[in-house]
Amino acid sequence: MRRLIYISSTRTTFTAGDLEEILRISRRNNAAVGVTGLLVAGGRRFLQVLEGAEGAIDAVFERIKQDPRHHAVVVLSRTDIAAPSFGEWSMGYARGGAVRGDATLPETVAQLLAPVTDPSLRGYFEGFAQVHAAA
Ligand SMILES: Cc1cc2nc3c(=O)[nH]c(=O)nc-3n(C[C@H](O)[C@H](O)[C@H](O)COP(=O)(O)O)c2cc1C
């Protein structure tokens, strides 16, 4: 099983509605090929982890890279893993800003990371949430 972590920027600022639509499509597509993961939006930057069979990860990531809304897609880590980190989620999600007025981005991300034991995976997301806390 493969884990891929990437960071990217987008050309435009997505509205909450745009993000909901990306999530809806991602969950549908990922569930169909057994891919799970976590997407965190901080302003115009995204951090995403995708886990699943190698062929499925390659296919999903190829589509993401070719999406014209993305640019500067940079792979941070590509590793083989024994078991997935996120159970049944097709794509967990958090974003900065006022959408979740009751919790900061680091707090929301900490909740999403609750099932994750891998310190390196936790580190990427905790760091990103800190840096983009105000986004
Ligand atoms: C930040 C971001 C994350 C995305 N993550 C996924 C994903 O996990 N899975 C996926 O299938 N598409 C994802 N997409 C959407 C793809 O780029 C592409 O639009 C979509 O896969 C096309 O699906 P369709 O051919 O079923 O319309 C993401 C897009 C953005 C901007």
Side-chain angles (χ1 to χ4, degrees):
M1 177 168 267
R2 177 62 56 95
R3 171 192 293 154
L4 187 146
I5 305 174
Y6 77 86
I7 197 158
S8 75
S9 309
T10 55
R11 294 179 198 283
T12 52
T13 305
F14 289 177
T15 64
D18 294 336
L19 288 164
E20 291 302 325
E21 180 64 7
I22 287 170
L23 222 62
R24 190 182 65 74
I25 288 168
S26 299
R27 286 178 172 150
R28 184 199 63 201
N29 289 346
N30 295 355
V33 293
V35 166
T36 53
L38 175 61
L39 174 67
V40 177
R44 285 163 67 166
R45 297 204 189 274
F46 289 94
L47 177 66
Q48 189 173 27
V49 54
L50 299 165
E51 295 184 342
E54 189 175 341
I57 296 296
D58 287 348
V60 170
F61 188 54
E62 201 51 44
R63 278 204 311 276
I64 291 173
K65 272 194 303 191
Q66 293 190 359
D67 188 327
R69 295 171 296 182
H70 264 135
H71 72 122
V73 177
V74 177
V75 174
L76 299 179
S77 149
R78 203 192 285 263
T79 47
D80 288 324
I81 52 169
S85 310
F86 298 103
E88 295 300 305
W89 297 353
S90 50
M91 191 52 59
Y93 170 66
R95 67 168 292 202
V99 169
R100 289 173 175 241
D102 54 336
T104 65
L105 186 62
E107 285 166 355
T108 308
V109 167
Q111 282 170 15
L112 290 165
L113 289 175
V116 177
T117 51
D118 185 301
S120 144
L121 179 56
R122 295 186 66 90
Y124 280 117
F125 279 87
E126 285 167 354
F128 184 88
Q130 292 294 340
V131 168
H132 297 284

